[in-house]
Amino acid sequence: MDQSRTKKEALEKLFDPKEFLKMYYSFDSTSSEKNDILMFLLRNFFKTFILDGVKGNTLIHIGAVPSIFELLSACESFKEIIITNYMDRNCQELQKWLKKEPGAFNWTPVVKYVCELEGDRNKWAEKEEKLRRTVKQVLECDVTKFNPLTFASLPPADCLLMCHSLVGICNDLSTYRAALKNVSSLLKPGGHLLMVNGMKCSHFVVGQHKFPCLFLEKEVLEEAVKEAGYDILKFEVTPICYPDSLVEHEEISYLVASKGKGKED
């Protein structure tokens, strides 16, 4: 049986979206490694989308977990956002929040923090509604396939955003490089790629289950991004780590790159 198919079936069976969100994104005012990482990423997204002016018509979010925090500043800079995810269970969890269904994860503390960065903490309810309006589709996406969105016909995006999207899916570096090229086919030349990765990671934990991750070093990631046809504009690494009980890793990285014009997939 195909390795990627086996891995996807294991994730679909054992990965609990609700438990994941509770363990990793329960955000409060107390200082903790989890909060520090989330604030590091939210500040970077704010800078990229609001201060640096990365904007356009369409942003495609390539996801492997059911999170929306990456999109809170992006919805101010893009007319439409298309959310894709590796697992159907995560798509369902995301739809709960978008449709304000009972049992949806409470992102409000995170939204308030982003609104504070943007200048008015009290506009959190407006921000949530704006993001819901801006998200036009939620689709399943298999990054290991040459055509990741097999049944969807989408115009080339102005921005691709990936947060921990490939390291938990790809078994080896060759699969990782291929997956990065696969998703790059969704981005127009000159468009921006934003990537967040756990670096030198061996596994992450959700509930009682331990999930393996691809061990990724800075130089290897840089090489893969350049090989996929990108020019790196920013690459920031922080030594802030999740507790060892959650993730075994050494750093978190935030990368912004531009897809070379005239480079076809």
Side-chain angles (χ1 to χ4, degrees):
M1 185 180 285
D2 188 297
Q3 263 193 330
S4 60
R5 184 179 169 190
T6 306
K7 188 158 193 174
K8 185 169 186 179
E9 288 174 351
L11 283 166
E12 286 278 14
K13 183 178 179 181
L14 301 175
F15 184 89
D16 185 335
K18 290 183 183 299
E19 185 68 18
F20 172 84
L21 292 172
K22 185 173 73 174
M23 291 176 69
Y24 287 85
Y25 296 129
S26 294
F27 188 71
D28 55 46
S29 58
T30 60
S31 179
S32 70
E33 296 95 335
K34 290 187 293 182
N35 287 351
D36 291 345
I37 288 172
L38 191 50
M39 289 188 289
F40 165 78
L41 297 177
L42 292 171
R43 287 193 299 267
N44 269 292
F45 288 129
F46 165 70
K47 184 176 187 305
T48 298
F49 293 120
I50 307 300
L51 301 183
D52 295 344
V54 170
K55 60 185 178 181
N57 288 316
T58 306
L59 178 147
I60 298 178
H61 179 216
I62 309 288
V65 299
S67 58
I68 56 95
F69 73 88
E70 309 95 318
L71 306 172
L72 291 166
S73 289
C75 72
E76 304 295 337
S77 299
F78 289 86
K79 293 178 182 177
E80 65 175 34
I81 292 173
I82 296 165
I83 294 178
T84 75
N85 204 282
Y86 188 59
M87 288 184 280
D88 180 61
R89 295 179 73 182
N90 287 337
C91 291
Q92 292 175 32
E93 188 65 33
L94 288 159
Q95 289 281 20
K96 283 183 183 177
W97 185 83
L98 291 167
K99 295 177 180 179
K100 297 194 276 190
E101 293 178 359
F105 185 73
N106 179 23
W107 286 101
T108 300
V110 178
V111 180
K112 287 181 177 178
Y113 179 79
V114 174
C115 288
E116 194 172 313
L117 290 175
E118 294 178 7
D120 191 347
R121 183 181 176 86
N122 294 321
K123 289 192 173 181
W124 64 269
E126 294 172 40
K127 167 73 79 176
E128 289 190 350
E129 290 311 305
K130 182 163 189 174
L131 178 53
R132 288 185 172 105
R133 287 196 308 272
T134 308
V135 174
K136 304 302 182 184
Q137 296 184 73
V138 178
L139 304 168
E140 197 169 348
C141 173
D142 189 342
V143 297
T144 64
K145 293 183 178 178
F146 180 72
N147 181 4
L149 295 166
T150 309
F151 302 109
S153 178
L154 301 176
D158 300 284
C159 184
L160 281 185
L161 195 163
M162 298 194 287
C163 192
H164 306 299
S165 303
L166 303 182
V167 291
I169 296 169
C170 300
N171 294 305
D172 51 48
L173 286 173
S174 61
T175 308
Y176 184 92
R177 291 190 191 99
L180 186 54
K181 289 179 180 178
N182 291 342
V183 296
S184 295
S185 66
L186 304 171
L187 182 66
K188 65 174 63 171
H192 286 88
L193 168 72
L194 275 65
M195 291 181 75
V196 173
N197 283 292
M199 308 299 289
K200 300 180 181 178
C201 182
S202 63
H203 69 267
F204 67 99
V205 174
V206 181
Q208 303 301 311
H209 300 288
K210 187 183 288 187
F211 298 92
C213 280
L214 180 65
F215 187 91
L216 204 58
E217 297 179 283
K218 185 174 186 287
E219 296 75 16
V220 174
L221 177 57
E222 285 179 325
E223 185 183 337
V225 170
K226 290 174 182 176
E227 188 184 283
Y230 293 95
D231 301 310
I232 296 174
L233 307 176
K234 173 180 179 175
F235 196 174
E236 185 175 354
V237 178
T238 177
I240 305 168
C241 288
Y242 287 104
D244 289 344
S245 59
L246 290 181
V247 186
E248 184 68 41
H249 70 125
E250 293 186 19
E251 300 163 326
I252 294 282
S253 69
Y254 181 86
L255 181 147
V256 182
S258 174
K259 186 175 181 180
K261 292 183 178 180
K263 295 179 183 178
E264 298 299 327
D265 297 292

